[in-house]
Amino acid sequence: MIASENRSAKTRNILLLGGTGEASALAQALAGRDDLAVTLSYAGRVAQPKAQPVAIRIGGFGGVAGLRDYLRAQAIDAVIDATHPFAAQMSANAVAACAEEGVPLVALERPAWQAMPADRWIDVTDLDAAAAHLAQAEPAPRNVFLAIGRLHLHHFARAPQHRYTVRLIDEPGEALPLPQVEAIIARGPFTMEGDAALLAERGIDLIVAKNSGGAGAFAKIAAARSLGLPVIMIARPAIPERAHCESVAQVIAWLDHSAPSGGVPDQRGV
Ligand code: 3Y8
Ligand code: NAP
């Protein structure tokens, strides 16, 4: 269904850039609003994205230019960026396209996880630095849980001495780029108990994780804490400044009060 087809005079067309638990929560919250026609957008990364109570679209837009075309063709009145904190390219494209088209944009950002005293985090700047740590600081073979999805496993080929357990959403179509690797096929959100059992059963010595924030990926962090295991924690990539909120309620307040043109000041703490 093309959102603009069923647009009445008072309906506003909302583009919700999704792929996270927060985007799903927003879709639930907005689905019942007859003054909003919401389209949730997925990149098309997984075979079966989660079913949603609003219209969905799947696939890239074609860079900033493609997104600008989409905003105009669908007469989008506002964009909500509820993508993952590591989806930096999509977020940067949304900032550029919305600025050029004068479409209000707000991001639903989840706070980064903060280390607690019981945590044994090894903070690294990015995926490459995580792989470098495993190559240089961990020369002896270890059992490593790579909970970073499928897209970036190749970084770890530089540390082939380790025995990797990786968690993927879909069965990998081709051989994984690591000499000693076992794949678990599972879709989050996960539970601390389930992840603690997984780590113990497999004798995991080290976990690699993105500082995603949110609840859906946190299970392994809590499990590592309970088992006293070290976590190589990958910091978030930089994202251009934009209006942002930290809760679904704040986004709804922004939607209901956002100016018809241009973004509104930072809604943090609304
Ligand atoms: C396609 C769409 C919802 C959304 C649920 C959240 C929680 C469960 C935890 C681990 C960590 C990881 C990964 C993860 C989690 C939620 C959320 C989250 C982490 C789906 C989804 C899409 C994706 C893409 C996928 C990436 C991968 C990352 C697996 C849907 C299920 C590791 C991120 O195989 C691949 O190509 C997977 C790619 C991008 C990171 C990567 O670089 O590989 N997410 N995940 C989205 C699209 O097509 O636009 O079907 O729901 C969504 C969710 N994954 O509505 O409940 O909100 O974050 N997703 C990470 O955080 O480190 C798993 O295993 O412990
Ligand atoms: P990314 O690197 O920021 O984006 C790469 C390209 O993928 C974008 O330029 C865009 O293509 C397309 N794209 C990304 N998100 C899209 C969306 N929601 N709708 C339409 N196109 C999208 O993104 P990513 O890190 O690969 O993440 C892809 C998706 O997975 C996002 O929906 C994200 O929320 C979700 N996700 C990612 C992670 C993660 O760890 N990265 C974790 C959980 C969920 P065009 O330039 O052609 O428009």
Side-chain angles (χ1 to χ4, degrees):
M1 175 183 74
I2 302 288
S4 56
E5 280 171 359
N6 65 358
R7 177 180 174 183
S8 65
K10 65 182 174 53
T11 302
R12 284 190 295 164
N13 291 327
I14 308 300
L15 174 61
L16 173 55
L17 299 173
T20 60
E22 285 77 2
S24 294
L26 259 173
Q28 290 290 344
L30 299 177
R33 294 271 300 262
D34 62 9
D35 60 326
L36 301 176
V38 178
T39 300
L40 190 153
S41 178
Y42 282 117
R45 278 269 185 280
V46 301
Q48 253 91 37
K50 185 174 182 170
Q52 295 291 348
V54 297
I56 67 166
R57 65 168 297 291
I58 298 177
F61 296 95
V64 174
L67 180 52
R68 290 184 63 180
D69 292 345
Y70 180 88
L71 295 176
R72 282 194 305 274
Q74 298 302 318
I76 297 298
D77 297 293
V79 176
I80 303 167
D81 180 350
T83 58
H84 191 273
F86 280 72
Q89 187 60 62
M90 185 71 253
S91 292
N93 290 1
V95 169
C98 289
E100 284 156 13
E101 294 297 323
V103 175
L105 165 71
V106 72
L108 174 48
E109 290 182 358
R110 52 198 189 188
W113 298 318
Q114 301 300 326
M116 307 284 278
D119 289 327
R120 294 175 58 194
W121 290 4
I122 301 152
D123 291 310
V124 295
T125 52
D126 55 26
L127 280 146
D128 245 344
H133 179 90
L134 283 173
Q136 292 143 20
E138 296 287 349
R142 312 279 291 206
N143 295 324
V144 179
F145 182 42
L146 277 186
I148 52 161
R150 169 178 60 96
L151 300 180
H152 303 286
L153 297 176
H154 60 280
H155 291 271
F156 298 88
R158 64 191 285 194
Q161 71 272 31
H162 302 307
R163 294 176 293 275
Y164 291 101
T165 297
V166 301
R167 183 149 62 184
L168 308 177
I169 295 174
D170 294 321
E171 285 291 344
E174 65 283 330
L176 296 173
L178 301 168
Q180 304 176 84
V181 61
E182 189 184 337
I184 299 172
I185 307 303
R187 174 192 291 257
F190 303 102
T191 64
M192 175 184 149
E193 296 70 23
D195 277 5
L198 183 156
L199 298 174
E201 278 153 24
R202 292 167 183 269
I204 298 295
D205 304 305
L206 254 170
I207 292 121
V208 180
K210 298 174 178 178
N211 195 327
S212 310
F218 188 69
K220 59 189 176 289
I221 309 304
R225 178 185 302 155
S226 70
L227 296 170
L229 294 178
V231 177
I232 299 176
M233 183 61 78
I234 300 164
R236 296 176 168 190
I239 283 179
E241 199 40 47
R242 67 259 165 102
H244 47 266
C245 302
E246 290 191 356
S247 72
V248 168
Q250 288 176 9
V251 172
I252 294 172
W254 180 88
L255 265 182
D256 292 339
H257 308 297
S258 67
S261 61
V264 289
D266 178 342
Q267 296 287 311
R268 197 192 299 271
V270 157

